[in-house]
Amino acid sequence: MRSDLMKKGIEKAPHRSLMKATGLNDSEIRKPIIGIANSANEVIPGHIHLDKISDAVKKGIIAAGGTPIEFSTIGVCDGIAMNHKGMKYSLGSRELIADSIEIMATAHPFDGLVLIPNCDKIVPGMIIGALKVNIPSIVISGGPMNPGMFKNSPVGLDKVFEAVGKTAKGLMSEDELYELECKACPGAGSCSGLFTANSMNCLSEALGIALPFNGTIPAVDADRIRLAKLAGAKIMDLVENDIKPKDIINKKSLENALAVDMAIGGSSNTALHIPAISHYAGVPLTLKDINPIAAKVPHLCTIAPAGPHHMIDLHYSGGISAVIKSLADSGLLHKDCMTVTGDTIYNNVKSISNIDRKIIREISNPVHADGGLAVLTGNIAPDGCIVKKAAVAEEMLVHSGPAKVFTCEEDAVNAIMNNKIVKGDVVVIIYEGPKGGPGMPEMLTPTSVIAGMGLDKEVALITDGRFSGATRGASIGHISPEAASGGPVAVVRNGDIIEINIKENTINVKLTDDEIKKRLSELPEYSPKISEGYMRRYALQVSSADRGAVFEN
């Protein structure tokens, strides 16, 4: 056993003495020791119940003959961090979480790991951490929040952000905004739509690193507790059979994750996290590898913010298992990939039925003929950028308009709120990428205010930063190379015409190559916005978004 490194032999008597100080007895020390990485905290609604998930995991481990030992990781709530300095620290937390798992599982050589995340950066951060130590591991998430009810309709957090724009424009009263604020998030779980947290929890199933239904069982359901117990038992099987993350996450399983992502219309941030996971798995993959899969996989689901349904609807229609089965039966997914069940991804789901074909459409009757995400390239994004195509109105798939340029999110929001953005404009927000932000802050406020003011079918937003998974409309992020690295998006000026063609996967500024080169030569050297601490170090190490904003060296 790997844990023998810290417990076997007379020379490890001091180590065993310290373990006994925690209450472990000789029998427990002799058994396989399973580390439980738990991101529970009292900040994030998706994490307030993870103590219960951990308790269930421990019961599963003990019943299967192991000894569980829990440790913590950090977690940032993107919704609470949104639109202030705190958001600059969110993406950076992903690598910090991964590093903390690497440190804990190396300093204390566990035989296996159970990873308990639930929200945005925490899910990929834990998966990356597992890949770095590469010992048997399984993900069991906390599950999605149920939608709230407002005026007899289901709603989620995205509607609260959009209501800010409606209230600013006089389309909603402050009393109505307050009522919505109180009802949109009814309790524990990751926010109820197909935003980044739930997208990543679903894709962990497609990667094979989590059990079926990990992404969709509601946080408050007893089924979630039963799944956690099963995850505790399964980690013992993985340890016994020495099945490691790099045995599961490979080129085929990453392609499966992208295929499922296209089918469900997941968050555009998955285009950041999947390349990052692939990097740490040793599998080359960038933004440009997405389009070939998007071209052949149809978009099947209309989950908020791309439609009226929520995660609970997807779950009771058959969940990600039903989506995987549909894709596999149509030859759009690799059936033979190994998963944490010890069986192939197809064998896991072959008995699952699609209960409601309004929630999960048939391959022959999709929402869109191609995938929910699209990668655009052009003279201001030579290495690509990403748009959640499934959430873009038909009339905005092709758009041309004058740029309104801002060098930070706050200035853009002020301009939008003060009616300085008009029909036809293209809002350009630069110096908000991984290096420039730093930390590539997620921008839900500007996109939501645009939508709330009724401009989402008339105004486009583009940035070298990123947008929230709750964003809808022609919101194009991850422009690479970013402005802070001397990318050509940095030369765009007010009034320049931006031409966007999502149908043709192109984005360009109407300038000659010579004019772009001239303007690039005149750019001043970029000075980091944060000059000390973790994010200063982060900015010095991080790659561009097209490669997943990873630490390359």
Side-chain angles (χ1 to χ4, degrees):
M1 289 188 290
R2 185 173 183 267
S3 60
D4 285 347
L5 291 169
M6 63 177 172
K7 69 185 186 184
K8 190 174 182 180
I10 60 170
E11 71 277 13
K12 297 301 190 299
H15 305 61
R16 293 190 297 272
S17 183
L18 288 167
M19 292 182 192
K20 289 175 181 179
T22 70
L24 294 178
N25 60 33
D26 288 329
S27 174
E28 290 169 320
I29 293 171
R30 282 194 294 269
K31 294 174 181 177
I33 294 180
I34 308 300
I36 300 175
N38 188 357
S39 57
N41 62 53
E42 295 183 350
V43 179
I44 311 175
H47 292 224
I48 56 172
H49 66 306
L50 295 188
D51 57 334
K52 297 180 177 62
I53 302 297
S54 181
D55 286 345
V57 167
K58 291 173 185 176
K59 289 175 181 176
I61 292 170
I62 292 167
T67 297
I69 296 180
E70 183 178 353
F71 64 93
S72 60
T73 72
I74 62 168
V76 172
C77 179
D78 280 16
I80 296 173
M82 195 76 64
N83 196 26
H84 59 84
K85 184 179 179 181
M87 179 46 72
K88 296 181 184 296
Y89 288 75
S90 176
L91 181 59
S93 72
R94 187 188 69 189
E95 264 58 30
L96 200 56
I97 289 164
D99 288 349
S100 71
I101 289 171
E102 177 190 4
I103 288 168
M104 288 297 291
T106 306
H108 318 100
F110 303 125
D111 296 298
L113 282 172
V114 179
L115 311 168
I116 309 179
N118 209 32
C119 294
D120 206 333
K121 299 337 143 306
I122 300 100
V123 182
M126 286 197 175
I127 294 172
I128 289 168
L131 284 164
K132 292 176 80 172
V133 294
N134 199 34
I135 62 174
S137 303
I138 190 170
V139 171
I140 170 63
S141 303
M145 184 187 295
N146 285 333
M149 293 297 292
F150 177 69
K151 295 186 176 179
N152 207 34
S153 294
V155 293
L157 182 67
D158 55 320
K159 296 303 180 187
V160 186
F161 274 95
E162 290 182 14
V164 173
K166 290 183 178 180
T167 304
K169 198 169 182 180
L171 301 174
M172 177 182 278
S173 70
E174 290 190 21
D175 286 343
E176 288 176 306
L177 176 61
Y178 178 72
E179 182 184 354
L180 177 58
E181 167 192 328
C182 293
K183 292 182 175 179
C185 298
S190 45
C191 297
S192 58
L194 193 57
F195 316 139
T196 309
N198 288 327
S199 295
M200 288 308 303
N201 282 333
C202 289
L203 296 192
S204 65
E205 292 184 45
L207 282 170
I209 198 70
L211 294 169
F213 300 102
N214 175 72
T216 58
I217 295 174
V220 296
D221 274 20
D223 276 351
R224 176 63 55 181
I225 299 299
R226 283 188 279 271
L227 191 73
K229 289 178 182 176
L230 182 58
K234 284 295 181 184
I235 189 61
M236 298 304 296
D237 291 340
L238 293 170
V239 169
E240 181 178 354
N241 294 299
D242 197 31
I243 298 174
K244 302 182 180 77
K246 288 185 179 179
D247 298 322
I248 292 171
I249 297 177
N250 50 42
K251 189 174 192 298
K252 284 185 175 182
S253 66
L254 287 159
E255 289 177 349
N256 283 350
L258 288 173
V260 170
D261 199 11
M262 296 306 113
I264 62 178
S267 163
S268 60
N269 282 318
T270 59
L272 195 64
H273 299 317
I274 295 298
I277 290 168
S278 75
H279 171 81
Y280 292 104
V283 180
L285 188 148
T286 69
L287 266 182
K288 291 182 178 180
D289 294 306
I290 292 175
N291 273 348
I293 295 174
K296 65 181 182 180
V297 177
H299 172 218
L300 305 177
C301 304
T302 50
I303 312 298
H309 305 116
H310 292 83
M311 294 305 296
I312 192 169
D313 303 308
L314 178 59
H315 178 64
Y316 289 120
S317 298
I320 296 303
S321 291
V323 175
I324 288 171
K325 184 174 186 298
S326 180
L327 294 177
D329 286 343
S330 299
L332 297 171
L333 186 141
H334 303 291
K335 293 182 176 183
D336 59 346
C337 291
M338 175 60 67
T339 73
V340 290
T341 67
D343 207 340
T344 65
I345 192 166
Y346 187 71
N347 285 344
N348 288 345
V349 305
K350 62 184 180 182
S351 63
I352 299 296
S353 299
N354 181 358
I355 305 300
D356 189 339
R357 286 172 172 78
K358 296 190 297 294
I359 308 297
I360 304 172
R361 303 275 282 269
E362 296 184 56
I363 298 286
S364 60
N365 181 36
V367 182
H368 299 105
D370 49 9
L373 298 178
V375 175
L376 317 183
T377 55
N379 63 4
I380 55 172
D383 291 336
C385 55
I386 194 79
V387 62
K388 189 168 183 173
K389 184 177 180 179
V392 179
E394 179 68 26
E395 52 265 54
M396 287 300 292
L397 291 175
V398 178
H399 180 78
S400 178
K404 295 280 182 71
V405 183
F406 304 92
T407 56
C408 67
E409 176 192 5
E410 293 80 3
D411 290 349
V413 171
N414 288 335
I416 296 165
M417 295 286 283
N418 288 295
N419 299 308
K420 294 181 180 179
I421 304 301
V422 299
K423 179 179 179 179
D425 282 347
V426 178
V427 177
V428 181
I429 307 174
I430 54 176
Y431 293 105
E432 292 287 19
K435 184 187 297 292
M440 206 178 185
E442 183 174 279
M443 292 178 273
L444 180 54
T445 300
T447 59
S448 297
V449 172
I450 285 283
M453 296 176 79
L455 293 171
D456 56 302
K457 296 181 180 180
E458 301 172 338
V459 169
L461 296 93
I462 70 173
T463 183
D464 56 3
R466 62 194 177 94
F467 293 115
S468 166
T471 291
R472 62 185 173 93
S475 302
I476 299 164
H478 306 196
I479 289 179
S480 299
E482 62 175 296
S485 294
V489 70
V491 308
V492 177
R493 298 173 183 170
N494 286 330
D496 288 345
I497 301 300
I498 305 293
E499 298 176 327
I500 299 166
N501 191 326
I502 297 173
K503 292 181 178 180
E504 299 294 332
N505 298 325
T506 61
I507 181 168
N508 291 285
V509 59
K510 202 170 182 181
L511 296 172
T512 65
D513 291 345
D514 287 343
E515 177 63 17
I516 290 173
K517 288 178 183 177
K518 176 177 177 292
R519 292 188 188 183
L520 282 170
S521 70
E522 296 168 350
L523 287 177
E525 184 176 347
Y526 179 71
S527 178
K529 294 178 183 176
I530 296 178
S531 60
E532 59 186 13
Y534 176 71
M535 291 311 297
R536 166 68 175 175
R537 300 196 302 274
Y538 179 89
L540 293 173
Q541 299 180 74
V542 70
S543 78
S544 67
D546 67 301
R547 297 195 300 282
V550 297
F551 287 171
E552 294 187 295
N553 300 311

